[in-house]
């Protein structure tokens, strides 16, 4: 596994503690000097980690007061990078993975184009079915670049929240993403997997996610439409 930069380690640890409730919304993080001692890193490292979490909406720096933890929305906001699993969990659902396949495959044409790869270059291809409260709700396919994930392995428990696993184990920091959402009628095989009638409506999400080093993930999700929704938050006029 590649060595994770110090600022990413601090970023990941603070984010994990916010999600686990150690720092609830409205509370304040320890001071910069206290975190320097705790993590044995420089103030510049602490500030970079806090800046990243502030940009993601987890923190807000209050002049003269400190760094305050913000409320994390339980709806999937389309102006923040959040995973399908994280959204379900925040809404109180128990999320599990039913079946998992991880292969190394030649990048298909559309992945070559999205990632800027050459013919014959390989990618990780991850497939799984996510369940909410024991019921299948989504078929997920992920294509992941190999250069940032040396020796990549995972099991069903690791894969319940892929983004969290990648952040904690590989120091991956997601920068931005482009997501397209369409609808389709469930074909026979998908309907059997999701336990819905053939032709039932599905939401289809296609997302390309970037790190600071470029495209990292191409995700395709087929979601049972009647059990999930996206909310778009708009502010101001162009």
């Amino acid at each position: 596994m590649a060595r994770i930069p110090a600022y990413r380690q601090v970023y990941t640890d603070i984010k994990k503690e916010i999600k686990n409730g150690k720092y609830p919304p409205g509370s304040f993080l320890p001071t910069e000097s206290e975190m320097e001692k705790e993590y044995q890193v420089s103030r510049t490292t602490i500030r970079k980690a806090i800046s990243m979490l502030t940009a993601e909406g987890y923190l807000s720096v209050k002049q003269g007061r400190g760094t305050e933890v913000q409320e994390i929305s339980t709806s999937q906001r389309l102006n923040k990078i959040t995973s399908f699993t994280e959204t379900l969990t925040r809404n109180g659902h128990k999320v599990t993975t039913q079946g998992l396949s991880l292969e190394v495959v030649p990048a298909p044409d559309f992945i070559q184009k999205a990632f800027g790869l050459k013919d014959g270059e390989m990618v990780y291809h991850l497939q799984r079915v996510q369940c909410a409260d024991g019921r299948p709700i989504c078929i997920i396919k992920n294509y992941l670049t190999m250069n940032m994930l040396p020796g990549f392995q995972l099991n069903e428990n690791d894969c319940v929240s892929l983004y969290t696993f990648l952040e904690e184990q590989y120091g991956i920091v997601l920068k931005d993403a482009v997501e397209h959402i369409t609808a389709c009628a469930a074909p026979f095989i998908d309907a059997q997997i999701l336990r819905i009638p053939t032709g039932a409506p599905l939401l289809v999400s296609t997302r390309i996610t970037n790190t600071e080093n470029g495209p990292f993930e191409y995700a395709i999700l087929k979601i049972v439409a009647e059990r999930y929704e996206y909310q778009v938050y708009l502010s101001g006029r162009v």
Side-chain angles (χ1 to χ4, degrees), residues 52-218:
M52 292 166 64
L53 289 165
T54 300
E56 292 183 9
Y58 285 90
L59 301 174
S60 177
V61 178
K62 305 291 185 181
Q63 194 67 30
R65 297 181 62 196
T67 304
E68 184 178 9
V69 179
Q70 300 299 291
E71 180 68 53
I72 302 173
S73 174
T74 57
S75 61
Q76 181 155 351
R77 292 177 177 247
L78 297 187
N79 61 346
K80 295 292 181 184
I81 301 176
T82 186
S83 74
F84 177 78
T85 298
E86 288 169 338
T87 300
L88 288 175
T89 301
R90 290 170 190 163
N91 276 309
H93 297 287
K94 181 180 180 181
V95 183
T96 54
T97 298
Q98 174 183 295
L100 180 149
S101 171
L102 177 62
E103 304 173 285
V104 176
V105 302
D109 290 345
F110 70 97
I111 295 298
Q112 289 182 33
K113 183 178 180 180
F115 289 176
L117 302 178
K118 299 177 181 178
D119 288 343
E121 289 196 68
M122 311 295 281
V123 294
Y124 293 113
H125 183 207
L126 173 64
Q127 301 180 81
R128 63 203 192 278
V129 177
Q130 294 294 76
C131 300
D133 305 318
R135 297 171 57 194
I137 188 173
C138 181
I139 301 169
I140 305 178
K141 295 182 180 182
N142 303 87
Y143 293 89
L144 303 167
T145 57
M146 296 186 65
N147 60 333
M148 285 184 271
L149 299 172
F152 182 50
Q153 293 181 342
L154 77 172
N155 57 43
E156 290 185 10
N157 291 332
D158 294 330
C159 207
V160 171
S161 178
L162 179 62
Y163 285 175
T164 297
F165 177 77
L166 293 175
E167 288 173 342
E168 294 179 357
Q169 299 299 318
Y170 289 87
I172 298 297
V173 177
L174 305 178
K175 178 184 176 185
D176 53 44
V178 176
E179 186 164 2
H180 297 271
I181 302 169
T182 58
C184 76
F188 175 76
I189 297 299
D190 290 348
Q192 294 300 303
I193 293 172
L194 294 169
R195 303 178 199 169
I196 56 177
T198 300
L202 296 178
L203 293 172
V204 181
S205 165
T206 302
R207 175 188 289 185
I208 298 175
T209 308
N210 302 294
T211 69
E212 58 191 9
N213 296 317
F216 168 74
E217 174 208 34
Y218 192 112

